[in-house]
């Protein structure tokens, strides 16, 4: 009976709309993946390759050869002679439209050919120094450390303070409870972009301007976090808490030893969000931080791009490093993140 | 701890496993808190729990909201409020001083009105575009029987990237030497410097925003779609209703409350556009073609040669009023959707 119903509802043939759906999903995947893949590929190219046009789809570098009697390794070219014969040559120097080359087999004889007869030989090459050089040339490690510091400290404080507030709001009755909950929720309606000028004045007043703590402290209490944890704590039975009180546990001990461990799933979701929020934060650190040694990754990255001589091979490598942690977190915790967003509507 | 131990084994097992060292560390916090409880009484402890949060909210949200309004009525370039002269409605008057609101060049602060115009167009196109792509993608994913989890993850992934990363990735993609120009040269023998062209740069700012945020709204719509009971469709199928009609007469009306909330959420987000557009266009360029309201506020307040905190706050207050109206309508819609 069930098999019969199933057969009539799904006739077994693939509908045109199924093909359209697959087409859309596949095309969309390409649209998402190509720009990111292009950045990753480009981040492994040499400086010369990254500035050459049209761009190559794979990272390559000039093939070189060490020739006796020449100080530096020479680049390898294919010469097409006017009679159509091809010959592998090494380029010694190039002046205008003519080039001095030699045959690697006879290194003592150099001869001149027009550059139009030459075609460079390139080989597959991954330029990993794009990733290591910025560590030396710029304060990249400093930015990385600052970001990790802000992310870790802010997340720990967020979990602690928000869960304390959520515990008070979900497990006690006290005068002003609903008003405080409403006040906390109302902060969702006040975006940073509206209060950035006075918020910066507060930071200056607290002597926290250009200080990582100025970035951290203003972001640790989140209405989203309080709300998420409060809803979860409401599901913890009060009997548990009553039983602990009978055993003369202090209120803080009840929070710390009973409620907090039971909230682990909700805390994990909030921790994931908090890490991603703090790692990606841009506008607020941009306002608070002014000296390069305090920059976070995001600010450092955007300031490098604004410089006169844009070194894309380094910028792209640092971009990849910046998106890597979020990507790893997402690959492993994808299910929790998408479900958390879908159920609570927060980002 | 004996009574809760029987009900809540995870807490106890964890406590045992982590060992005595952590136990001692935890006691370091517990002892002063227990002393505090003896001092205040158990009834006052919830206030202790909520206090740190409220203090931070007060310092970093409630006080600034009050200050934003106060700032808007002061002039000068001093940051601290007590050094600033009261100027009444002068900042608002300056911002709203316009020959014609449709023509930014006739306004005293034409940059503000340019920003308002840019934001308006961006909001319109971004909201419609994101809504369209998020809806279609959600419908597609809802239909797929296999691979749904994978595609959902793929479409959501950009949401988690930082605005700076997104701006840089796309700037590189659209660059003079970028991949897109590589293809254009191959196929059409032409090259376009997209981000230095007024029209193209605006198109790409909207496109990149859709690319960036679409997954978030898709997820919300998908959750709405999956909440529609299956048997309605089964009944429609038995009646021989075509798929097209099913969509227009069943899916869309049932999804409407969800879509309305998404739309208002999109409007609220779009009005605040800044980060990724700023990075993508190198600070709102070419010229002022992609300068938006938040950028105007940021520059007016924080560029070293301006520091017009009062004017910036007045602009923030105006934007805040618009956002408040949108937020209240969202709450109203969300409430209506639940009934």
């Amino acid at each position: 009976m069930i098999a019969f119903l199933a057969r009539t509802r799904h006739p077994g043939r693939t509908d045109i709309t199924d093909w359209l759906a697959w087409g859309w999903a596949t095309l969309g995947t390409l649209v998402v993946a190509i720009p990111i893949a292009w950045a990753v590929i480009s981040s492994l190219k040499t400086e010369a390759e990254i500035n050459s046009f049209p761009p190559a789809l794979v990272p390559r570098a000039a093939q070189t050869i060490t020739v006796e009697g020449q100080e530096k390794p020479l680049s390898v070219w294919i010469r097409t002679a006017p009679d159509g014969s091809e010959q592998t040559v090494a380029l010694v120097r190039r002046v205008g439209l003519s080039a001095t080359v030699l045959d690697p087999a006879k290194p003592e004889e150099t001869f001149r050919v027009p550059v139009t007869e030459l075609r460079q030989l390139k080989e597959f090459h991954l330029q990993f120094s794009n990733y290591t050089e910025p560590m030396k040339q710029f304060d990249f490690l400093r930015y990385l450390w600052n970001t990790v510091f802000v992310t870790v400290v802010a997340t720990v404080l967020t979990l602690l303070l928000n869960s304390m507030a959520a515990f008070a709001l979900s497990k006690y009755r006290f005068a002003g409870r609903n008003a405080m909950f409403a006040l906390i929720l109302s902060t969702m309606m006040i975006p940073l972009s509206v209060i950035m000028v006075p918020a910066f004045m507060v930071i200056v007043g607290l002597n926290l301007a250009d200080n990582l703590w100025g970035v951290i402290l203003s972001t640790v209490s989140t209405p989203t976090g309080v709300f998420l944890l409060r809803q979860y704590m409401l599901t913890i039975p009060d009997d548990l808490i009553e039983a602990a009180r009978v055993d003369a546990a202090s209120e803080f001990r009840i929070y710390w030893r009973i409620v907090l461990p039971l909230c682990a799933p909700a805390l994990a979701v909030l921790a994931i969000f908090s890490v991603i929020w703090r790692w990606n934060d841009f506008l607020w650190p941009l306002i608070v931080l002014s000296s390069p040694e305090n920059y976070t990754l995001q600010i450092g990255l955007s300031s490098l791009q604004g410089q006169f001589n844009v070194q894309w091979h380094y910028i792209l490598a640092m971009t990849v490093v910046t998106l890597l942690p979020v990507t790893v977190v997402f690959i492993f915790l994808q299910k929790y993140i998408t479900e958390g967003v879908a159920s609570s509507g927060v980002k | 701890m004996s009574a809760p131990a029987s009900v809540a084994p995870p807490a106890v097992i964890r406590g045992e496993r982590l060992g005595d060292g952590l136990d001692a560390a935890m006691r370091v916090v517990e002892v002063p808190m227990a002393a505090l409880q003896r001092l205040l009484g158990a009834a006052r402890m919830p206030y202790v729990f909520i206090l740190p949060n409220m203090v931070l909210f007060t310092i970093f949200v409630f006080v600034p909201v009050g200050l934003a309004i106060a700032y808007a009525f002061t002039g000068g370039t001093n940051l601290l409020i007590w050094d600033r002269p009261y100027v009444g409605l002068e900042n608002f008057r300056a911002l709203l001083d316009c020959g014609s609101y449709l023509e930014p060049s006739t306004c005293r602060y034409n940059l503000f009105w340019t920003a308002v115009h840019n934001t308006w167009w961006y909001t319109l196109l971004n909201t419609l575009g994101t809504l369209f792509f998020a809806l279609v993608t959600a419908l597609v994913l809802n239909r797929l029987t296999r691979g749904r989890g994978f595609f959902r993850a793929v479409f959501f992934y950009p949401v988690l990237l930082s605005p700076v990363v997104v701006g840089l990735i796309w700037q590189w993609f659209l660059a003079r030497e970028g991949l897109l120009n590589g293809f254009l040269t191959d196929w059409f023998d032409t090259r376009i410097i997209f981000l230095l062209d007024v029209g193209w740069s605006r198109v790409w700012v909207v496109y990149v925003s859709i690319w960036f945020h679409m997954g978030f709204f898709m997820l919300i719509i998908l959750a709405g779609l999956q909440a529609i009971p299956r048997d309605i469709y089964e009944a429609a199928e038995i009646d021989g209703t075509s798929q097209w009609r099913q969509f227009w007469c069943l899916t869309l009306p049932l999804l409407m409350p969800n879509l309305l909330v998404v739309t208002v959420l999109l409007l609220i987000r779009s009005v605040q556009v800044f980060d990724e557009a700023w990075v993508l266009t190198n600070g709102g360029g070419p010229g002022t073609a992609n300068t938006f309201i938040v950028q105007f506020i940021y520059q007016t307040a924080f560029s070293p040669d301006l520091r017009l905190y009062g004017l910036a706050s007045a602009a923030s207050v105006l934007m805040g009023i618009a956002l408040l109206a949108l937020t209240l309508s969202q709450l109203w819609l969300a409430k209506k959707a639940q009934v």
Side-chain angles (χ1 to χ4, degrees):
Chain A
M1 180 68 184
I2 290 169
F4 172 73
L5 279 178
R7 198 162 58 237
T8 48
R9 258 189 285 129
H10 300 287
R13 74 193 155 84
T14 332
D15 207 297
I16 177 86
T17 47
D18 285 318
W19 286 107
L20 285 176
W22 273 99
W24 182 277
T26 315
L27 197 70
T29 305
L30 290 178
V31 168
V32 169
I34 286 175
I36 300 171
W38 179 240
V40 175
I41 291 170
S42 302
S43 76
L44 290 163
K45 289 182 172 180
T46 61
E47 191 178 358
E49 270 294 293
I50 218 163
N51 291 320
S52 75
F53 188 85
L57 292 179
V58 286
R60 301 174 307 178
Q63 203 175 316
T64 57
I65 187 169
T66 316
V67 179
E68 231 176 288
Q70 302 287 338
E71 288 163 29
K72 286 186 203 156
L74 302 176
S75 58
V76 183
W77 300 66
I78 298 277
R79 180 197 169 208
T80 315
D83 58 12
S85 66
E86 291 196 345
Q87 179 189 13
T88 309
V89 295
L91 181 77
V92 181
R93 78 182 78 83
R94 180 182 161 170
V95 183
L97 288 175
S98 78
T100 306
V101 297
L102 56 78
D103 187 339
K106 290 172 272 177
E108 57 285 349
E109 283 175 40
T110 60
F111 52 102
R112 292 162 79 90
V113 290
V115 287
T116 48
E117 289 180 10
L118 294 176
R119 187 161 50 84
Q120 190 167 20
L121 267 188
K122 291 179 179 176
E123 59 188 357
F124 181 73
H125 171 83
L126 298 178
Q127 183 81 352
F128 287 111
S129 67
N130 288 348
Y131 285 81
T132 50
E133 271 304 301
M135 311 268 174
K136 296 177 215 150
Q137 284 199 21
F138 316 104
D139 266 345
F140 189 64
L141 279 180
R142 182 90 220 167
Y143 303 159
L144 194 65
W145 162 248
N146 287 344
T147 309
V148 169
F149 177 74
V150 167
T151 305
V152 171
V153 174
T155 299
V156 169
L157 286 176
T158 298
L159 293 181
L160 188 70
L161 297 191
N162 291 6
S163 64
M164 277 166 67
F167 178 56
L169 289 169
S170 61
K171 292 293 164 209
Y172 293 94
R173 299 178 160 278
F174 55 94
R177 183 183 71 170
N178 292 339
M180 284 194 198
F181 188 48
L183 265 180
I184 289 176
L185 285 189
S186 75
T187 59
M188 272 186 193
M189 286 197 267
I190 304 159
L192 171 64
S193 48
V194 173
I195 55 169
M196 61 184 169
V197 179
F200 179 64
M201 190 216 129
V202 168
I203 288 290
V204 171
L206 293 172
N207 210 5
L208 287 174
D210 199 15
N211 186 323
L212 290 176
W213 283 100
V215 176
I216 293 171
L217 284 179
S218 59
T219 53
V220 294
S221 30
T222 64
T224 314
V226 175
F227 182 71
L228 206 83
L229 292 170
R230 174 189 175 263
Q231 298 307 93
Y232 196 86
M233 286 179 187
L234 285 176
T235 65
I236 297 174
D238 287 341
D239 307 352
L240 227 59
I241 293 166
E242 282 309 317
R245 278 211 190 101
V246 170
D247 280 3
S250 74
E251 301 299 313
F252 188 78
R253 197 179 161 89
I254 293 171
Y255 155 76
W256 191 240
R257 296 286 175 105
I258 299 174
V259 174
L260 215 49
L262 286 176
C263 280
L267 287 171
V269 170
L270 180 60
I272 296 169
F273 280 120
S274 174
V275 165
I276 292 170
W277 288 333
R278 300 294 82 90
W279 187 271
N280 288 344
D281 254 352
F282 180 60
L283 179 56
W284 183 239
L286 183 70
I287 294 169
V288 174
L289 306 173
S290 50
S291 51
E293 72 262 22
N294 285 329
Y295 280 176
T296 59
L297 269 183
Q298 312 290 344
I299 309 301
L301 209 49
S302 82
S303 77
L304 281 178
Q305 171 240 12
Q307 281 170 6
F308 177 66
N309 185 13
V310 183
Q311 295 176 297
W312 272 109
H313 52 303
Y314 292 152
I315 290 186
L316 288 169
M318 286 187 272
T319 304
V320 172
V321 171
T322 310
L323 70 79
L324 215 53
V326 173
T327 309
V328 171
V329 167
F330 184 59
I331 287 172
F332 287 106
L333 304 172
Q334 180 266 118
K335 204 166 140 260
Y336 301 96
I337 296 174
T338 46
E339 273 167 15
V341 170
S343 62
S344 61
V346 297
K347 189 183 99 179
Chain B
M1 283 284 290
S2 62
S6 59
V7 196
V12 171
I13 292 168
R14 185 164 307 188
E16 276 170 5
R17 204 187 295 149
L18 289 175
D20 297 338
L22 194 70
D23 204 65
M26 285 169 103
R27 213 159 279 155
V28 171
V29 197
E30 273 172 30
V31 170
M33 290 300 281
L36 192 67
Q37 185 180 336
R38 274 194 295 281
L39 194 73
L40 295 173
R44 294 211 180 85
M45 281 311 278
Y47 295 103
V48 174
F49 284 120
I50 207 167
L51 188 71
N53 234 288
M54 290 315 277
V55 167
L56 287 177
F57 271 133
T58 307
I59 295 176
F60 293 110
V61 181
F62 300 130
V63 168
V65 168
L67 280 174
I69 298 166
Y71 265 90
F73 294 96
T74 60
T77 55
N78 288 318
L79 180 62
L80 299 177
I81 187 91
W82 39 88
D83 298 335
R84 299 174 59 82
Y86 176 77
V87 295
L89 285 169
E90 180 50 35
N91 288 320
F92 291 99
R93 223 171 274 142
L95 282 179
L96 298 174
D97 181 7
C98 243
S100 155
Y101 288 121
L102 297 176
E103 198 43 70
S105 57
T106 62
C107 301
R108 192 154 123 210
Y109 277 98
N110 55 32
L111 185 60
F112 176 67
W113 284 98
T114 306
V116 170
H117 275 244
N118 289 341
T119 310
W120 160 253
W121 280 109
Y122 169 87
T123 302
L124 185 74
L125 296 175
N126 185 50
T127 305
L128 290 177
T130 310
L131 198 62
F132 173 75
F133 284 104
L135 178 61
V136 174
T137 310
L139 287 168
V140 163
L141 291 200
N142 195 38
R143 201 190 158 76
L144 291 183
T145 41
R146 265 178 302 161
R148 185 193 288 164
F150 170 77
F151 285 118
R152 192 179 61 175
V154 167
F155 289 121
F156 186 73
Y157 173 66
V159 174
L160 298 178
L161 300 179
S162 85
V164 179
V165 164
V166 170
L168 289 175
I169 284 177
W170 279 96
Q171 202 180 61
W172 177 239
F173 189 79
L174 301 170
R176 242 181 91 88
E177 299 84 16
L179 188 63
L180 196 56
N181 268 318
F183 283 128
L184 282 182
T185 313
D186 251 22
W187 295 337
F188 305 107
D189 206 22
T190 176
R191 245 162 120 171
I192 304 171
I193 316 300
F194 292 104
L195 294 172
L196 292 182
D197 179 275
V198 172
W200 276 114
S201 64
R202 285 177 170 159
V203 169
W204 284 110
V205 165
V206 173
Y207 177 82
V208 170
S209 291
I210 296 174
W211 183 89
F212 189 7
H213 300 294
M214 191 276 282
F216 173 68
F217 297 99
M218 174 210 74
L219 220 53
I220 298 179
I221 298 175
L222 190 60
L225 277 174
Q226 288 175 342
I228 299 176
R230 286 261 147 244
D231 42 1
I232 299 182
Y233 292 102
E234 283 162 24
E237 214 129 297
I238 289 166
D239 291 347
T241 318
S242 73
Q243 292 208 340
W244 192 241
R245 254 184 85 77
Q246 278 181 32
F247 172 71
W248 282 108
C249 300
L250 283 177
T251 311
L252 212 54
L254 286 171
L255 200 60
M256 215 21 121
N258 188 303
L259 286 182
L260 282 174
V261 172
V262 167
T263 307
V264 182
L265 214 58
L266 259 168
L267 290 171
I268 294 172
R269 293 269 191 89
S270 304
V271 172
Q272 300 176 60
V273 56
F274 173 71
D275 311 1
E276 72 267 18
W278 201 65
V279 177
L280 179 68
T281 62
N282 272 330
T288 56
N290 290 292
T291 301
F292 300 107
I293 299 177
V294 174
Q295 190 190 334
F296 171 82
I297 298 171
Y298 172 75
Q299 284 182 338
T300 309
F302 299 114
S303 330
D305 50 340
L306 287 173
R307 301 223 175 272
L308 299 171
Y309 300 111
L311 197 70
S313 294
S316 318
V317 168
L318 291 179
M319 189 176 84
I321 291 170
L323 288 175
L324 192 67
L326 284 171
T327 312
L328 291 178
S329 66
Q330 186 213 357
L331 291 178
W332 182 70
L333 284 170
K335 205 168 182 176
K336 235 177 74 168
Q338 274 176 0
V339 175

